Amino acid sequence: MPGTKRENIKLGKKVKVVQKQDQRSGKLTEGVVSSILTNSSQHPHGIKVRLESGIVGRVKEILN
């Protein structure tokens, strides 16, 4: 499931995000959502979240 709609992303969900410095390479980082940083209902590049590890990135894939 793509991470472009805020309603699909819930706290505690496992997701894959792309960090700002990895946007060119497309390297994804897996983690659990601790907070949602994007206020709008959708974003074409993915909703920005903070993972429990402290990493901030845009959601590219929702795993569960």
Side-chain angles (χ1 to χ4, degrees):
M1 182 184 303
T4 56
K5 290 194 171 152
R6 195 174 195 272
E7 65 191 27
N8 295 338
I9 299 163
K10 304 280 183 251
L11 301 182
K13 278 214 181 238
K14 198 173 218 184
V15 295
K16 286 188 180 178
V17 301
V18 64
Q19 294 179 68
K20 182 82 173 171
Q21 67 269 23
D22 295 331
Q23 283 176 344
R24 285 179 183 264
S25 68
K27 177 180 166 252
L28 297 178
T29 306
E30 198 173 300
V32 177
V33 177
S34 71
S35 61
I36 300 171
L37 304 176
T38 300
N39 290 323
S40 60
S41 63
Q42 59 184 35
H43 191 284
H45 301 299
I47 300 297
K48 192 179 277 188
V49 298
R50 178 175 286 114
L51 302 179
E52 287 179 347
S53 60
I55 291 170
V56 172
R58 295 201 179 271
V59 177
K60 292 298 178 186
E61 208 176 311
I62 300 170
L63 299 177
N64 62 0

